[in-house]
Amino acid sequence: MNSKRETAWVESPLQMICAVEAHHAGLLGGSTLIVPRAGQRALKATRRELLRLGLPDGLELGEPRERMPGGIGVVGDAFSGRVQLRWLLSRDPRAVVVDDGLATIRLLELLADPKVRPLLRARATPGRLRAALGLLVAHRIRRNRRNVTVFTALDAGEDLAQAVHKAGFALVPHDFAWLRAQPLREPGPPERTVVLGTSLVRNGLVHRDRYLRWITGLAEQEPLAYFPHRREDPVDLAVIRERPGVTMHEPGVPAELSLRGLAADQRVVSLPSTAISSLRVLLSPRGVAVEGVDVPDDWWTSRAAPALRSHLTGAAR
């Protein structure tokens, strides 16, 4: 077991939860400091909720910081320029990457590819310097592959998982063992149907009017609880809030925390999202249905290239 204190840099609620799970699983050793990025309301709310639940022994949730501290061994965003520059300059090539949504699947695909490709996001249009950094880091990670671990609750699929292992990287699955063991203090919302919000509209990938009509149609069938995505447009949320039959829950802690109390007669509905996979892990044992909804072809905008559509839909299925 690693005896030194590990430091994790997290920039999203899911990264924070998965860093806790990585510590609980013994992947990080006996002592871990999780440092959240400052200025993120959702991270503050997640930090408060995790502290309320009570952290595993040896784990500390540090105060938010503007800048990434030195000595980082655990990250979530492998496509961050700051993270990649730190990897490139670090003398210690060991790295543990925890879940960062569908970007984790993108990372695994790049690691598994026999051809060394720059570590860049699926929608990235980088300049020459940024592309060069991504390629240099990809080469360095390949040279130090035995020291790179991806810790994920996402179902990468047997073929991709085997390809990652064949490429020499460690892929460690988890099922939110620590979170599932925490007592439930509050029940879920009373509505039978819970809809998870999406960032696809805000990111310009899905037409706003189609999405809003879909929400309206669901609410006309039965009352529903709407849990916004942390990056949804406040203007869109105001419109959804006024729809008859919709109970809007204010953005706060991630669905993995706020929906743990759902009962067997309830269901979760969502467009492609990492939360589909994580909530299935958490809620399926309770008999809760978690339903992923494919995006109809006429919902996509011209900014959503066919390869990106396939990545978003297939990875979240």
Side-chain angles (χ1 to χ4, degrees):
M1 179 179 286
N2 182 21
S3 60
K4 78 168 188 175
R5 188 190 206 191
E6 285 283 10
T7 303
W9 172 250
V10 297
E11 301 178 82
S12 76
L14 181 61
Q15 291 177 30
M16 181 178 284
I17 294 171
C18 290
V20 174
E21 293 288 351
H23 173 87
H24 173 74
L27 192 64
L28 309 183
S31 178
T32 304
L33 171 66
I34 298 178
V35 180
R37 181 180 177 181
Q40 307 288 324
R41 290 199 323 175
L43 271 177
K44 291 181 181 179
T46 303
R47 181 177 183 272
R48 286 195 302 269
E49 179 63 15
L50 291 175
L51 289 171
R52 187 176 75 90
L53 290 175
L55 300 175
D57 292 340
L59 179 66
E60 178 185 352
L61 277 179
E63 294 295 329
R65 299 190 192 180
E66 291 286 348
R67 295 184 177 181
M68 183 170 55
I72 294 295
V74 184
V75 299
D77 187 359
F79 299 113
S80 162
R82 288 189 297 174
V83 169
Q84 291 186 1
L85 188 60
R86 181 66 57 85
W87 279 347
L88 195 62
L89 300 177
S90 174
R91 295 180 180 179
D92 182 4
R94 182 176 182 270
V96 176
V97 182
V98 297
D99 270 331
D100 185 33
L102 295 183
T104 303
I105 300 296
R106 166 72 172 176
L107 174 64
L108 293 176
E109 291 170 345
L110 292 173
L111 296 181
D113 194 331
K115 180 181 178 181
V116 180
R117 297 162 58 195
L119 293 187
L120 298 170
R121 303 182 199 279
R123 292 192 296 126
T125 53
R128 284 185 296 177
L129 288 178
R130 184 66 187 86
L133 174 61
L135 185 59
L136 286 172
V137 170
H139 278 289
R140 176 146 204 239
I141 284 181
R142 294 286 177 128
R143 291 195 299 270
N144 297 284
R145 65 191 74 194
R146 299 297 177 185
N147 295 312
V148 177
T149 300
V150 180
F151 182 75
T152 179
L154 297 178
D155 182 7
E158 184 177 351
D159 290 345
L160 180 56
Q162 288 182 354
V164 170
H165 287 300
K166 184 178 180 180
F169 298 95
L171 177 59
V172 179
H174 75 92
D175 60 357
F176 294 100
W178 175 80
L179 186 56
R180 287 190 294 106
Q182 302 312 301
L184 293 172
R185 291 187 171 90
E186 298 175 0
E191 292 83 3
R192 187 185 79 89
T193 295
V194 174
V195 178
L196 300 184
T198 181
S199 63
L200 294 177
V201 175
R202 183 73 176 266
N203 291 339
L205 301 175
V206 163
H207 288 291
R208 178 176 181 266
D209 59 337
R210 268 78 154 186
Y211 180 72
L212 294 179
R213 281 204 300 267
W214 176 63
I215 297 297
T216 301
L218 288 176
E220 288 175 346
Q221 298 173 30
E222 61 177 334
L224 60 86
Y226 191 90
F227 282 75
H229 190 281
R230 60 192 173 89
R231 291 200 298 270
E232 274 190 90
D233 192 325
V235 175
D236 291 345
L237 294 181
V239 172
I240 295 171
R241 186 178 288 109
E242 296 301 319
R243 292 291 193 265
V246 175
T247 299
M248 176 70 69
H249 292 255
E250 295 306 316
V253 299
E256 290 83 0
L257 291 174
S258 59
L259 298 181
R260 291 192 306 129
L262 290 181
D265 60 345
Q266 293 178 285
R267 66 170 184 156
V268 179
V269 178
S270 175
L271 295 189
S273 166
T274 307
I276 295 172
S277 296
S278 55
L279 287 178
R280 281 175 178 158
V281 172
L282 287 165
L283 298 178
S284 291
R286 299 173 59 86
V288 179
V290 181
E291 304 171 10
V293 177
D294 288 339
V295 178
D297 289 341
D298 65 333
W299 286 22
W300 294 110
T301 70
S302 59
R303 296 179 61 181
L308 178 61
R309 299 180 190 184
S310 177
H311 172 72
L312 291 172
T313 302
R317 197 167 273 169

